[in-house]
């Protein structure tokens, strides 16, 4: 069995429906679903804001690479095109953490190499797991502490919306 933390984001097409498509596809694998957050784009590419959320998922049939493949399948179903690094996208599904494993595998680096620098990952993750931890430079650290190390403008740029991913 593997438990993973997935970060999902979208800013093309219908971003809310793109995020909901992930929740719908995961079904009973979902352990927790954060709220939806509006966030400024990361990486310096001019584009509209993203909708982001974090999910905790669990499935006895999937290992960490299985979560990666499933995320890629969900991206493909949302017509994800990889044209520009940090550019706009219909759907982004990142495996942030999987069973606390650390891996330098170029196909799936764990934990996600920049998760500790991204408030749009940490804020929604802490909403659904206040005790979340992440390995950074070989040390397991509280996500709350990592968030506190980020610039205030980065943290303040993650704004909770009233949108819901789980359909009423």
């Amino acid at each position: 069995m593997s438990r993973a933390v997935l970060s999902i984001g979208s800013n093309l097409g219908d971003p809310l429906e793109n995020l909901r498509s992930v929740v719908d596809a995961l079904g009973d694998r979902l352990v927790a679903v954060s709220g939806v957050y509006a966030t400024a784009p990361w990486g310096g590419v001019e584009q509209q804001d993203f909708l982001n959320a974090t999910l905790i998922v669990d499935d006895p049939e999937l290992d960490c690479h299985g979560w990666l493949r499933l995320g890629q399948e969900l991206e493909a179903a949302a017509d994800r095109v990889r044209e520009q690094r940090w550019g706009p996208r219909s759907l982004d599904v990142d495996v942030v953490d999987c069973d606390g494993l650390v891996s330098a595998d170029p196909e799936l680096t764990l934990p996600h190499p920049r998760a500790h620098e991204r408030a749009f990952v940490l804020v929604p993750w802490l909403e659904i797991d206040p005790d979340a931890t992440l390995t950074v430079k070989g040390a397991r650290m509280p996500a709350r502490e990592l968030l506190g190390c980020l610039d205030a403008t980065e943290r303040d740029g993650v704004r909770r919306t009233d949108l819901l991913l789980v359909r009423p």
Side-chain angles (χ1 to χ4, degrees):
M1 173 163 46
S2 70
R3 180 172 281 218
V5 176
L6 306 178
S7 176
I8 60 175
S10 175
N11 73 341
L12 286 179
D14 185 338
L16 181 60
E17 280 305 311
N18 291 336
L19 298 183
R20 283 179 172 166
S21 73
V22 175
V23 170
D24 291 346
L26 291 170
D28 292 341
R29 299 174 186 152
L30 287 167
V31 173
V33 179
S34 78
V36 178
Y37 291 79
T39 61
W42 202 90
V45 176
E46 193 66 35
Q47 59 190 301
Q48 71 182 23
D49 285 355
F50 276 82
L51 290 183
N52 290 98
T54 299
L55 313 173
I56 297 174
V57 292
D58 197 282
D59 188 327
E61 302 298 318
L62 291 179
D63 62 7
C64 299
H65 281 86
W67 289 117
L68 174 66
R69 285 188 295 279
L70 179 57
Q72 291 168 339
E73 290 169 11
L74 295 171
E75 289 174 348
D79 298 321
R80 163 78 186 263
V81 178
R82 297 176 190 273
E83 292 180 355
Q84 182 179 24
R85 184 174 181 162
W86 295 318
R89 60 203 68 173
S90 57
L91 183 62
D92 191 26
V93 179
D94 286 333
V95 180
V96 174
D97 190 71
C98 184
D99 291 331
L101 297 175
V102 176
S103 167
D105 179 339
E107 184 185 10
L108 178 60
T109 303
L110 289 171
H112 189 286
R114 289 172 298 282
H116 67 284
E117 300 171 344
R118 296 178 172 171
F120 68 83
V121 172
L122 298 172
V123 170
W125 187 8
L126 285 164
E127 175 191 330
I128 57 176
D129 183 2
D131 298 321
T133 60
L134 191 65
T135 301
V136 179
K137 298 179 183 173
R140 199 82 180 159
M141 300 179 65
R144 190 164 308 287
E145 185 177 315
L146 295 167
L147 181 63
C149 292
L150 298 180
D151 186 87
T153 57
E154 174 83 11
R155 292 188 310 265
D156 294 344
V158 180
R159 303 169 315 277
R160 180 76 150 79
T161 72
D162 293 330
L163 302 171
L164 299 174
L165 290 182
V166 178
R167 296 177 196 274

